[in-house]
Amino acid sequence: MTEKLTALQKSIRQATAALNGDTSMITTHEIVIKPAPQYSAADVKELRNEIDVTQRVLAEVLSVSPRTVESWESGKSRPSRSASRLLELIQKQPELLNLIIA
C-alpha cells in the first residue's frame, strides 16, 4: 500500500535526506528580484497626480509623514527603497489603493 504524505511531511523527508548527504530529492528555483526603482521629485509628484491624491493621502497610504512626501517632491530627499517599492506597486497597479482608501 502506498503511503500518502502531506506536503510538510514530504518537505521534512527531503530536508532530512539532504542533511544526510542525499541531494537527489532537492529541487531548487532561482528567482531574480529587480531592484526598487529610484523616484525623482518630479516622478513622485507625477505619480501622485496620476492617482489623484493629495500629499497627505499619499503619506498616509505609505505610512510616512506629509512632510516626508513634501520633501520628496521638492527634491530635498528621496524615497527609501521600501517606499520606492510601494510607489512602484501603486504605479503599476493603482487599483491597489482601493484596498487601502475607504
Side-chain angles (χ1 to χ4, degrees):
M1 179 159 68
T2 305
E3 176 181 12
K4 289 192 176 190
L5 301 175
T6 67
L8 178 58
Q9 289 170 320
K10 288 178 186 177
S11 293
I12 291 170
R13 286 199 177 170
Q14 290 171 352
T16 303
L19 288 172
N20 292 322
D22 178 6
T23 59
S24 65
M25 296 174 22
I26 294 177
T27 303
T28 59
H29 302 276
E30 185 175 326
I31 61 168
V32 177
I33 299 174
K34 297 177 187 177
Q38 292 192 344
Y39 285 86
S40 69
D43 294 335
V44 174
K45 189 169 188 169
E46 182 180 337
L47 173 58
R48 185 176 59 75
N49 288 328
E50 285 175 9
I51 59 176
D52 195 29
V53 296
T54 63
Q55 288 180 343
R56 183 171 293 283
V57 170
L58 182 59
E60 189 69 29
V61 165
L62 298 175
S63 296
V64 298
S65 73
R67 188 168 283 165
T68 298
V69 175
E70 181 182 336
S71 180
W72 294 342
E73 290 188 5
S74 68
K76 292 178 186 171
S77 67
R78 297 185 87 142
S80 66
R81 291 186 320 197
S82 57
S84 293
R85 182 66 78 197
L86 292 172
L87 288 168
E88 176 186 30
L89 293 172
I90 291 168
Q91 187 174 32
K92 289 182 177 180
Q93 296 185 356
E95 65 275 7
L96 290 173
L97 291 177
N98 296 333
L99 301 172
I100 301 168
I101 300 173

